Amino acid sequence: NAGVTQTPKFRILKIGQSMTLQCAQDMNHNYMYWYRQDPGMGLKLIYYSVGAGITDKGEVPNGYNVSRSTTEYFPLRLELAAPSQTSVYFCASSLGTRKNTGELFFGEGSRLTVL
Amino acid sequence: GENVEQHPSTLSVQEGDSAVIKCTYSDSASNYFPWYKQELGKRPQLIIDIRSNVGEKKDQRIAVTLNKTAKHFSLHITETQPEDSAVYFCAASWAGGGADGLTFGKGTHLIIQP
């Protein structure tokens, strides 16, 4: 199993540009998540999904959108890139059961810089 | 929502000594408390977790303790080695609102001095 695969690993965007971060998992996990990691700030949840066709906002959803058409894929879209979105983005998945979150499996991360 | 505080932000210890990282949480309904280790430039990986029905869990040189009354939990690393150098994150399950997810602390940068 490849686990959680994210692309691209690095990207530089200009202010106002749009892009999609891709995420795929081959573990048949129900739950998928997008986190952003800023220096000294830990991991902040952007969006999550508990299954195909179901998505919900996390702590910092503004400026992002997601979709979950299949169990395997959970892309994150930035519509109008802003410097505040410069960060490292991690996609993660878990088997997921209500109230007892299991182990999160993270992708390798995508470092995004907005100039 | 849940709020997780983690201390210290940086911890430097001599190789062979013990290291302790502490976290507090706010939501008394939280019942799952994992610890993740992130080496420089790598992805976070789970190293140990504890659920609210136990007070302590140990795995070789690492252990986690949980005090539900005080709403705090700690990571203990004994006989530290150079490969323990990393950023460690605690987290608590966000069990409220019918949603599933983790709230992370801000991380502790553990430095093992030779």
Side-chain angles (χ1 to χ4, degrees):
Chain A
N1 287 353
V4 179
T5 305
Q6 280 182 246
T7 57
K9 287 188 170 51
F10 303 93
R11 182 74 186 268
I12 297 175
L13 280 181
K14 294 182 179 178
I15 294 172
Q17 285 186 318
S18 300
M19 77 159 297
T20 300
L21 297 176
Q22 301 293 343
C23 177
Q25 54 94 5
D26 61 359
M27 296 175 283
N28 203 29
H29 283 171
N30 292 318
Y31 288 31
M32 296 188 74
Y33 313 81
W34 275 104
Y35 288 90
R36 61 176 287 172
Q37 183 176 33
D38 301 305
M41 296 302 293
L43 293 149
K44 301 274 188 189
L45 183 64
I46 304 171
Y47 269 95
Y48 67 97
S49 168
V50 301
I54 306 169
T55 63
D56 213 340
K57 297 178 180 178
E59 185 181 357
V60 290
N62 291 345
Y64 307 95
N65 272 303
V66 293
S67 59
R68 183 100 182 266
S69 56
T70 67
T71 301
E72 295 80 12
Y73 299 103
F74 190 43
L76 176 72
R77 178 121 180 115
L78 285 72
E79 289 294 347
L80 292 169
S84 60
Q85 293 177 305
T86 293
S87 188
V88 179
Y89 292 83
F90 285 98
C91 179
S93 71
S94 71
L95 203 54
T97 56
R98 186 171 290 279
K99 293 196 175 184
N100 281 285
T101 304
E103 179 178 359
L104 289 182
F105 292 85
F106 286 88
E108 291 185 318
S110 299
R111 183 176 294 275
L112 176 66
T113 303
V114 182
L115 300 174
Chain B
E2 177 64 274
N3 183 49
V4 176
E5 300 284 341
Q6 182 173 348
H7 299 279
S9 56
T10 303
L11 178 61
S12 181
V13 301
Q14 290 293 125
E15 183 178 347
D17 287 350
S18 296
V20 181
I21 302 170
K22 298 181 179 181
C23 289
T24 60
Y25 61 99
S26 61
D27 189 347
S28 56
S30 289
N31 58 4
Y32 175 67
F33 307 93
W35 288 87
Y36 283 81
K37 176 183 180 182
Q38 186 179 29
E39 296 175 0
L40 188 62
K42 300 288 182 64
R43 72 189 86 188
Q45 291 188 296
L46 179 73
I47 55 171
I48 195 167
D49 58 13
I50 192 168
R51 298 185 187 274
S52 58
N53 56 346
V54 298
E56 183 174 359
K57 184 176 178 180
K58 192 172 181 181
D59 183 3
Q60 298 182 348
R61 294 188 298 109
I62 59 172
V64 58
T65 58
L66 171 64
N67 183 328
K68 283 214 72 179
T69 303
K71 289 191 281 189
H72 68 70
F73 56 112
S74 301
L75 178 71
H76 305 252
I77 305 174
T78 58
E79 301 172 13
T80 52
Q81 299 170 4
E83 54 265 35
D84 295 329
S85 292
V87 178
Y88 292 81
F89 293 97
C90 63
S93 170
W94 175 30
D100 195 327
L102 290 172
T103 299
F104 285 86
K106 292 184 178 180
T108 296
H109 186 193
L110 177 61
I111 301 165
I112 307 301
Q113 302 279 6

